[in-house]
Amino acid sequence: QMKKYGQEIRDEGPKWHNIKAGTPTMGGTVFLASIILTSIWVGAWQNKLTSYLFISLFILLLYGALGFLDDFIKIFKKRNMGLNSLQKLIGQIIGGLVFYVVLLSSQMPHTVNLFGYSLSLAFLYPVFVVIWLVGFSNAVNLTDGIDGLVAGLGTISFATYAVIAWHQNQIDLLIICLSVIGGLTGFFGFNHKPAKIFMGDVGSLALGGLLATMSILL
């Protein structure tokens, strides 16, 4: 805030959003770091440093890095567009493909559960995985911008996944979900209306990618 590095408002947004211009952003950097550190040390403590835990954190870190670059360009070049859509899309697709390779190594079936029925996608499964991760991350990114919205909805969503992980005895994923809830709860104290700081793309893209990862692994 002292350096006047704050939120840039998109021209096509509502005029009343202009009041948010200059609000400090990139707050997601802090809670992403806390999520990663907490997940690793608790995972080590509970002997749950599994491939699922590491691939989830990889997606969180990669998508967070894309968001960080996007935010960095916006702030320091004083414009409302950071990375272009193709650059972000390539990074997101790479993350989805790496995630799929890990799924292959774990021999996860190429099926999707729909209302209690298993639908086999066969060779279309990698396409589904990539679209799912890219879609989720961009959807959460679009949701961000209103004070406390993603922090609140993210807490609810990951709490739901935490319950599912507990019932499925997937403690590695439960650790990550609880770490996210802790990080977002702490962040919400500074992000509720009137927001003192925004999470930025570094937070929203990462949370969206992680939500997609949890939904597949669970």
Side-chain angles (χ1 to χ4, degrees):
Q1 193 166 15
M2 291 173 60
K3 298 287 187 180
K4 301 187 184 302
Y5 297 151
Q7 182 76 24
E8 297 292 324
I9 303 301
R10 296 176 68 93
D11 295 332
E12 60 269 30
K15 297 303 180 185
W16 63 269
H17 267 204
N18 291 333
I19 196 173
K20 301 177 184 295
T23 302
T25 187
M26 298 178 74
T29 307
V30 178
F31 67 70
L32 289 189
S34 69
I35 291 168
I36 293 170
L37 291 174
T38 302
S39 297
I40 290 176
W41 81 257
V42 175
W45 171 41
Q46 295 295 317
N47 196 28
K48 293 295 180 181
L49 294 179
T50 65
S51 60
Y52 280 5
L53 183 141
F54 281 118
I55 190 57
S56 299
L57 295 183
F58 169 77
I59 293 297
L60 185 75
L61 185 59
L62 175 62
Y63 281 42
L66 289 172
F68 181 88
L69 287 173
D70 194 41
D71 287 333
F72 186 87
I73 293 170
K74 289 181 198 174
I75 292 171
F76 287 93
K77 291 196 174 183
K78 298 293 182 181
R79 67 190 198 195
N80 57 31
M81 291 295 292
L83 295 175
N84 62 47
S85 57
L86 180 60
Q87 290 169 328
K88 281 196 275 192
L89 180 62
I90 291 173
Q92 291 169 320
I93 290 175
I94 291 173
L97 292 175
V98 173
F99 177 60
Y100 173 69
V101 170
V102 172
L103 293 183
L104 272 182
S105 64
S106 66
Q107 298 182 331
M108 175 177 278
H110 286 34
T111 58
V112 177
N113 293 318
L114 294 174
F115 307 105
Y117 297 95
S118 291
L119 175 65
S120 177
L121 297 182
F123 66 92
L124 292 177
Y125 193 72
V127 178
F128 162 76
V129 168
V130 170
I131 292 176
W132 200 248
L133 264 72
V134 173
F136 256 79
S137 61
N138 287 323
V140 175
N141 185 34
L142 290 171
T143 305
D144 190 29
I146 303 298
D147 303 5
L149 183 59
V150 169
L153 293 177
T155 300
I156 295 169
S157 299
F158 281 101
T160 303
Y161 283 135
V163 172
I164 296 172
W166 173 262
H167 279 284
Q168 294 185 1
N169 198 34
Q170 293 187 251
I171 306 303
D172 47 355
L173 302 183
L174 174 62
I175 290 170
I176 294 177
C177 290
L178 294 178
S179 298
V180 174
I181 293 169
L184 290 181
T185 302
F187 178 73
F188 185 77
F190 302 93
N191 184 236
H192 65 78
K193 188 177 180 179
K196 300 179 181 67
I197 189 170
F198 292 122
M199 67 173 64
D201 287 0
V202 60
S204 58
L205 281 176
L207 290 175
L210 186 61
L211 274 172
T213 301
M214 289 292 113
S215 70
I216 293 174
L217 297 180
L218 292 172

